[in-house]
Amino acid sequence: MDITPFAVNQFIPHPMMVFAASTYNKDESPHLALVSWVNFYWDDGLGVTLCMDGDKAVKRNFEREGALVLNALSRDMFDAVEALGRASGAEKDKAIARFALEAAEHVHAPRLCESPLRYELSLRENFSYKGSNLYLCAIDSVSAADDAVSDDGSSYDIVAANPLLVSQKNYCCLGAQDVLGAWC
């Protein structure tokens, strides 16, 4: 079956980690938005690519402040994530209040206390397209939950972090039974 028209016009059906992008509004109140179009690039060091569509407060805040935190979300946060994803207007503030937040250490943005993996990012470049923006970001800091990092700090255990993933229609997670073996 050829799904090219669907994949090109709708949504690529491969799993992606779900993050809460966190910024400050003009009044210094925290703002969160769910994002999943995240990847990496190399240009004189490792950086993050982030794509967001539409007119969103998190985009305006990021462009104004030049700072954002990508907070990986986990299975344990699912109910709060669902509430955040479905909320708008005054309900959005109530959904954001369900997350414990603190000031990031290296950028002017809030971060989720319980996130298993957090990237503190600075905006390098903003490419504006018809309805979406592609951001190239510098990584200012990365922090991870202690139970997801090896004792010597040399590796990150994604299964222990229990990240929330999303594909075309569903949320899903990884489990120890899903590990097939070591990667090259």
Side-chain angles (χ1 to χ4, degrees):
M1 171 196 278
D2 181 11
I3 64 165
T4 302
F6 166 78
V8 170
N9 295 312
Q10 300 281 329
F11 189 70
I12 303 300
H14 65 273
M16 299 173 286
M17 283 182 66
V18 181
F19 294 86
S22 55
T23 58
Y24 286 121
N25 293 314
K26 284 184 181 179
D27 66 2
E28 293 294 308
S29 62
H31 185 78
L32 301 176
L34 299 181
V35 298
S36 58
W37 298 347
V38 176
N39 217 320
F40 299 94
Y41 74 100
W42 188 270
D43 184 23
D44 195 28
L46 186 64
V48 168
T49 64
L50 171 61
C51 186
M52 288 189 274
D53 67 341
D55 180 29
K56 295 177 171 66
V58 72
K59 287 173 60 174
R60 292 188 301 274
N61 294 343
F62 187 33
E63 291 169 9
R64 184 187 70 252
E65 292 286 332
L68 175 139
V69 177
L70 284 178
N71 304 275
L73 300 168
S74 69
R75 177 190 304 250
D76 300 335
M77 299 178 206
F78 180 72
D79 291 339
V81 170
E82 271 283 277
L84 179 64
R86 297 186 188 287
S88 62
E91 293 299 313
K92 185 87 163 185
D93 292 336
K94 290 179 186 175
I96 291 169
R98 294 178 71 167
F99 294 92
L101 298 167
E102 63 187 4
E105 292 184 23
H106 300 276
V107 299
H108 184 246
R111 66 182 189 184
L112 271 66
C113 298
E114 67 270 20
S115 174
L117 180 65
R118 302 176 294 205
Y119 295 98
E120 296 183 24
L121 305 175
S122 295
L123 181 59
R124 277 192 181 159
E125 292 192 51
N126 174 3
F127 298 96
S128 194
Y129 301 99
K130 296 178 183 176
S132 68
N133 292 72
L134 176 65
Y135 302 102
L136 300 184
C137 309
I139 301 172
D140 293 290
S141 177
V142 179
S143 58
D146 290 340
D147 59 351
V149 178
S150 63
D151 290 338
D152 66 358
S154 65
S155 64
Y156 179 77
D157 184 346
I158 195 166
V159 175
N162 204 7
L164 195 56
L165 305 175
V166 66
S167 66
Q168 180 183 351
K169 291 183 177 183
N170 302 303
Y171 285 103
C172 52
C173 292
L174 297 173
Q177 71 277 6
D178 300 316
V179 176
L180 304 177
W183 185 48
C184 304

